[in-house]
Structures are given as C-alpha cells and as structure tokens.
Amino acid sequence: MKSVTTDIYYVGVNDHQIDLFEGQYIVPNGMAYNSYVIMDERITIMDSVDIKFTHEWLDNIEEVLGEKEPYYFVIQHMEPDHSANIAKLVERYPNVILVGNVKTFQMLENFFPKAEFKNRLVVNNGDKLPLGAHELTFVFAPMVHWPEVMVTYDDFSKVLFSADGFGKFGALDVEEEWACEARRYYFGIVGKYGMQVQKLLEVASKLDIKTICPLHGPILNDNLGYYINLYNIWSKYLPESEGVVIAYTSVYGHTKEAVLELERKLKAKGCPKVVLSDLAREDMAEALEDAFRYEKIIFATTTYNSEIFPFMSDFLNRLVEHGFQNKTVGFIENGSWAPNAIRVMQNKLASAKNITYLNNHVTILSSLNEKSMTQLESMAEELCKDYVAKDEKLANKQDLSALFKIGYGLYVVTSNDGRKDNGLIVNAVLQVTNTPNRIAVTINKDNYSHHVIKQTGKMNVCCLSTDAPFSIFQQFGFQSGRNVDKFKSQEILRSDNGLVFLPKYINSFMSLNVEEYIDLGTHGMFICSVSEARVISDKPTMTYIYYFDNVKPKPQVESKKGWVCKICGFVYEGEELPEDYVCPLCKHGASDFERLE
C-alpha cells in the first residue's frame, strides 16, 4: 500500500469506468478518488470514495489496519464521490466516530435518511483533534466548493488534507502533466468561488506545509510554490498566459474562414499563442479553461434567430456563471441581412467585471469582403500592439509618445547591481525638457536602487497601468532588493540596455542614462537622457488617486488608534508618530501617515 509519510497511507482508488465526471466533464484518463489513513494511537481515516468501489476501498483499509480498528473517520466533503461509503464503513467498524461540522451532519442525514450514526464528533473552525503524535486542525472552507467543506492540517507531518482543493481530473495510474487537467478541473468545478479560495490560501500561507493530499489527483510534495501560485492566479481571475483565444461557431464555414484569417494575422504580428476553440465540436470545459487562462479572447459567431448560435450562447453563459473577468475582449459577427451578434454577446457579458473591449470589431455580411478584411487587420493590430512593443525585433524602440504616459503616477524603476535584477516603486518621474529629452527621477537614498543606479548610471522606468494588482506594489515596494531577488521565478524581458522591463501591467517604458545627479538631502534626483522608449498599451497610467481608490486594500483599523500609512495601510499604534519614523513595510516616511480618527 502506498505511503504518504511513514505513518500516513493512501487507500484511494482509480476509476476507469467513468466517462463523464459530475455528468458533464469528459475524463478520458479516468478519475482518482483519494482516501487516507493516519496510523497513530487513534487511527483516523480521511474521507471515502465513490459507491462503485466499496469493496476495493475497504480492502485497502484492511490491508493497512490489519486487525486494528479505526477510531475516527473525518468527513471533509459530503459530495457522493467522497462520502458514499460512510454507511458501509460504519457497518464494518461500528465503533468508529464520525468527525464533521454541523453542516456535514445535516447533509449526512439527507444522503443517508435510514441510517443511524450514533458516534459523532462535531467540530468548529480551528478546533484541534489529538490522535497521539499527530494533531489535526480543522479549517472551514465554505463554498470551496460546497458549504460544508473543511480542510485538515496535520501539524506532526506538515500535511494539508485539502479536500477538493488542488485536485485534478485523471486517474493516478496515468502519467500526464498536472496543470492542464487541474486547470480544467478548477475552472469547471471551483472557479466561481475565487474569493473563498483566496480566504483559504490566506490561512494556508500561515501553515508549514510539506505535502498536500487532495481528494482527486496526485499527492503533491515537490515544488509546492508552483501549485499554490497557480491557485492564487486562478482564484484572483488573473491571466495566466499571454495569448489570444478565438472561440467561434460557424454554420457554413464563412465565420471559420474569418477566424483562420485572424489567426494568420496574429501569428504574423508576433502573437505568442493563438488558441482556436470550435464550440460546436470541442469539449466545452476545455474551452472554458482556455478562456480563463489567456489574457485576450475573441468571440466569433453568427446571428441566429435574432440572437446568437446556441453553442456560443451556452459558452458565454458558462463564462459569466464562473466569474469571467479581467480580460481584453473583441467580437466578430456574421449576418446575411441583419447582423446582431455583437450586441447580444455584449449584453451577455454585461455583468462581467473589468472587461476591456477592443476598439475594433468585425462585421461580416455572409462572407469576407474588402471591408471586413480591413476590420480583421485593424483587430489584429490592436490585439498585438503590446506583443510587438515587447518583441526585440518588431518593436518601435524610439516611440517618444511613451513620454506622454508620464504623469503624477506610480512607476517601477528597474536596475541591476551586477548580480541580480532589482526594482522599486517610485512616484516622482518628470519630463523636464524635450530638446533634448530629459527625464528626472527622484529616489529615496535609503532605497537600494538609489545606490545601484548611482553606481551604474542607468535604469528603466516602467509606467504602471490601471490593471496593475496590489501584488505588484507588494513585490517591488514592500521589500529591499538588497535582501531579496524581486524577479525570482518571474518572466524576464530586457531592453537594449540589458535591464528588465515588466512584461505586463505597464503601458510603456523608457530606458534612461544618468546625465546629472542632484543631491536633495533625503533623496537624490537623477537627470537622464532617453536611449529607448516603447509604448506597450493604451491603458491609462496608474495615478496615486486610482491606486488609493481602487487597488490598495482598505486597512483593517477597527478599534485601533494611532497612525495609518496611506501607501500600504500599515498601522502605527501610538499617540504620537516620530518625525523620523519610516514605515516597516513600504519604507515611506512620516509624511505619508495620517492619524486614525
């Protein structure tokens, strides 16, 4: 029997009989239903398996226990693929104590109305259950993805039993890449509940986790940061990969012809990835996965009965139902006499959040003509503008309109100390002359970047756009580049001066050479010439006001007295704030604090 640790054993099963998981998801490589046994003074079984595998599961348990009996049976999730054999277990081991929360036992009675479960232990969020050497802590995770769900942390073995979290499609006796089927599983089953997943990740971040044991898919014990980072991206509904998805339906082939033409144009203009989804023929869950994975999507369909083709209608409904947001969206419509598809598609997406619509859409009257081909060209140019700007060969590196992006905004200034790349958040960037072009950048002397730039004489200034998340400010503003590598495990793009520029969340960047330095006491001002300038997108520059109103989380200041940092929300609890006080998080001084009333 497979061991997870020296005293935790896997007793789950593989299902190759199933064709549709939950009656809708195609699973060509089957499914795994995972269950675990913790061998200790009080032997504990974690969850059950699907009803089709009663005897195989009980055989697996008996192989581990031998003549011993389980003391506890922990019910993390009441979905039948994990709970169907509870009654069978109690028949085999009548003294076992069932462990669950109030909602667990309400559902247990619904699923087993004729059964009597006398031995029950009701637990609350945060409760601990000693088993001997092991001690379990229960963390409630409501709506991830049922209301009764809880996960369990074993402090002794540093194991997180994660319920359906970090699960994937596919049986364990089939080798396949984790991310693809885990992503399809997540967005199909859990995706609607991103906020709840974020809350669970916040709790998990405070635990010392060495192994993750999900209820589906493989046990995870290597490179856990990779899996947790993906869950963080997915649950924040952030784009995971650069590229364009074209989801389409086509009746007689004319819409498909336009889609293929757009694909050719996108590839010619440097689009890193183009994914086509024929919604009438391909797995809808796969199409859903791609729509959430990539940053841009084109919907192409026909006007049909004054609405849109049924497969497209279904697809859009699924996207909105699962929390579709934070995307760049464009439309291609086809109609022989009264094209109406764009209006219908826009209406269906009306409730989706943070959607940026392209300026260029395409209308086809039956088949492509010169006008619609021109519209396709304009759409391809708009979709690829940022890709071209980031491409070493295709970019216009002297696009001085990048300087027009400068305002009283927020910027990431990058540099390199000869060993690693560095970056910091600044707010003082100003164009001081235009003949010749000169940019002034003011940096606090306490920042490591000030030291590096004074030595090297060069920097890149990346103009943050309004889609930049708070994590960017945490990454570049709340830690020192002397102590950490701020670009570790990040996608790296470089300008001609060899320095990094951000691959996303910016609308432009400028490569600067220091021509003059002015000592301002606490700060230093670098007067710079421009060696390279690229415009990445037309998104607005992130201003201070926008950051405060829309990006920075509201500080938790209830019942606290003192001073709050306007930059990061750190609260200094004290009657008087020292004049020389520096925020321990973002390193801003006392002038950026305000009194809590």
Side-chain angles (χ1 to χ4, degrees), residues 84 168 236 257 262 308-309 370 378-379 399 438 463 549:
K168 67 175 283 292
K236 287 182 177 178
E257 181 185 0
L262 178 61
I308 55 177
F309 206 67
E370 184 175 346
S378 298
M379 174 178 277
D399 187 351
R438 289 291 185 265
C463 299
D549 291 345

Side-chain angles (χ1 to χ4, degrees), residues 579-590:
E579 292 184 2
D580 60 350
Y581 187 76
V582 175
C583 178
L585 289 182
C586 67
K587 311 305 179 187
H588 280 244

Side-chain angles (χ1 to χ4, degrees), residues 179-302:
C180 182
E181 287 296 73
R183 188 186 299 108
R184 188 166 71 98
Y185 174 91
Y186 176 88
F187 284 113
I189 295 173
V190 187
K192 181 179 179 180
Y193 305 106
M195 183 182 300
Q196 289 83 353
V197 173
Q198 277 291 302
K199 290 179 180 178
L200 182 58
L201 289 176
E202 183 178 352
V203 174
S205 69
K206 298 178 175 65
L207 302 174
D208 181 15
I209 301 171
K210 302 298 184 185
T211 303
I212 297 175
C213 291
L215 290 179
H216 296 294
I219 296 162
L220 307 176
N221 49 29
D222 293 318
N223 194 18
L224 295 186
Y226 167 75
Y227 306 107
I228 294 171
N229 180 59
L230 282 179
Y231 253 64
N232 188 45
I233 291 171
W234 298 343
S235 57
K236 287 182 177 178
Y237 304 98
L238 298 175
E240 180 188 343
S241 304
E242 287 189 334
V244 178
V245 175
I246 310 176
Y248 72 95
T249 63
S250 186
V251 182
Y252 295 109
H254 297 102
T255 306
K256 182 178 180 178
E257 181 185 0
V259 166
L260 295 177
E261 182 63 29
L262 178 61
E263 179 189 27
R264 285 192 289 270
K265 292 178 182 297
L266 292 174
K267 290 181 176 179
K269 295 179 185 297
C271 183
K273 182 74 172 180
V274 183
V275 178
L276 303 187
S277 292
D278 183 346
L279 299 177
R281 292 176 173 81
E282 296 179 15
D283 175 24
M284 193 65 78
E286 191 82 29
L288 192 78
E289 172 201 342
D290 287 334
F292 279 96
R293 177 178 182 178
Y294 294 96
E295 59 185 344
K296 303 173 185 178
I297 185 167
I298 301 298
F299 299 101
T301 194
T302 52

